[in-house]
Amino acid sequence: MEAAKIPASFEGAELDNFGVDHFSCSESQKAAHFMAKKFAEKSIAETASKGMMFTGQCGTGKTHLAIGILKKLIRTQRRRGLFYSSYHLLELIKSSFDREDLSEWEIMRPVLDRDILLLDDLGAGKITEFVQEKLAYILMERYNRKLTTLITTNYPVAPPRDASADNRVGGKTLGDCIGERSYSRLLEMCVVIPVNGPDFRDTVKRARSEML
Ligand SMILES: Nc1ncnc2c1ncn2[C@@H]1O[C@H](COP(=O)(O)OP(=O)(O)OP(=O)(O)O)[C@@H](O)[C@H]1O
Ligand SMILES: [Mg+2]
């Protein structure tokens, strides 16, 4: 579990403590929780080259659910997992070019060969051609090696828009951020799970202030 590098702030996040009975929990959040539990019960063969992609607004519980799956699969199937914020991963790869103590290969090896990779907040940060190439490589390798990949993103899961489209209309899509190749690969690999509803951080804050 330690090798999975799950952030300390999610130490307590489990599928079992994702509250669905709370009055403000939406049908979408309940359904996402149900799907996450189902996925975490699948066998290694059933999750080969497969994964889940949670998409929705901030604070709806996407990372909590993905970490819940990761932890459960590590515990019950003894699979080797790894958490990475996708922004942090890509910055780390970039920084390795100027470092003598850390090579790109050292960073990439676990990303390419751990049984389960959770890439959190896909599309966050400045997306360059370099970033798109790295992502495409990671996803293709993991697919070919029959590994499991979990994704969370705030971006709407839609293809890249026509280059001539007006970028002010509708905002960016996931396809715009990660490029056509990765987008198409992800759709093949991952079941897309929308997680829409109230921001849990906001709900908790309001409940706390009501208690004071
Ligand atoms: N249904 C829930 N039950 C218990 N805790 C929850 C629930 N939903 C969210 N949380 C908690 O609320 C906080 C925010 O959730 P989380 O980080 O998973 O949201 P997110 O959808 O990933 O947000 P962002 O898009 O900003 O990354 C976390 O501490 C998480 O553990
Ligand atoms: Mg998150």
Side-chain angles (χ1 to χ4, degrees):
M1 195 61 82
E2 220 170 279
K5 295 197 175 134
I6 293 167
S9 50
F10 285 95
E11 220 168 72
E14 303 284 348
L15 288 176
D16 289 344
N17 63 18
F18 187 87
V20 287
D21 298 327
H22 198 273
F23 68 93
S24 65
C25 188
S26 70
E27 288 306 313
S28 161
Q29 285 162 314
K30 286 179 193 170
H33 177 242
F34 179 79
M35 298 293 282
K37 281 203 300 187
K38 283 251 167 248
F39 190 86
E41 282 160 13
K42 286 184 192 289
S43 67
I44 295 179
E46 284 172 314
T47 55
S49 298
K50 295 266 179 294
M52 289 194 116
M53 176 154 58
F54 296 98
T55 167
Q57 305 99 324
C58 288
T60 54
K62 301 178 295 296
T63 303
H64 185 126
L65 289 173
I67 284 182
I69 297 174
L70 179 66
K71 284 182 176 175
K72 181 141 191 217
L73 291 177
I74 292 172
R75 278 195 207 108
T76 58
Q77 300 179 358
R78 297 220 150 281
R79 294 169 78 181
R80 300 166 314 139
L82 183 63
F83 174 99
Y84 253 119
S85 135
S86 56
Y87 177 73
H88 179 223
L89 171 62
L90 295 162
E91 286 301 310
L92 200 61
I93 294 171
K94 277 190 245 171
S95 77
S96 71
F97 301 149
D98 306 319
R99 288 172 62 165
E100 304 231 316
D101 60 324
L102 184 68
S103 68
E104 184 183 347
W105 176 238
E106 280 173 88
I107 302 164
M108 285 295 261
R109 203 167 53 179
V111 171
L112 299 180
D113 75 12
R114 288 281 172 95
D115 302 326
I116 310 154
L117 173 72
L118 166 46
L119 265 187
D120 196 39
D121 254 336
L122 188 61
K126 189 165 178 269
I127 302 287
T128 58
E129 214 171 293
F130 166 86
V131 166
Q132 289 195 346
E133 279 307 310
K134 285 287 162 210
L135 273 176
Y137 176 61
I138 292 168
L139 296 176
M140 182 191 69
E141 278 297 309
R142 293 191 59 80
Y143 180 81
N144 290 341
R145 296 175 188 207
K146 294 186 175 275
L147 301 171
T148 302
T149 307
L150 304 169
I151 305 280
T152 76
T153 183
N154 287 134
Y155 284 98
V157 178
R161 292 158 309 164
D162 191 304
S164 62
D166 185 343
N167 281 345
R168 290 164 302 179
V169 181
K172 265 190 178 175
T173 65
L174 183 64
D176 290 330
C177 295
I178 65 174
E180 189 149 23
R181 224 147 49 96
S182 294
Y183 178 76
S184 152
R185 176 73 66 193
L186 269 184
L187 283 196
E188 192 177 2
M189 291 167 82
C190 293
V191 182
V192 179
I193 309 287
V195 195
N196 298 311
D199 180 339
F200 196 85
R201 296 180 190 115
D202 197 34
T203 311
V204 170
K205 226 185 286 166
R206 224 172 309 147
R208 275 194 195 131
S209 65
E210 274 163 21
M211 278 165 67
L212 290 175

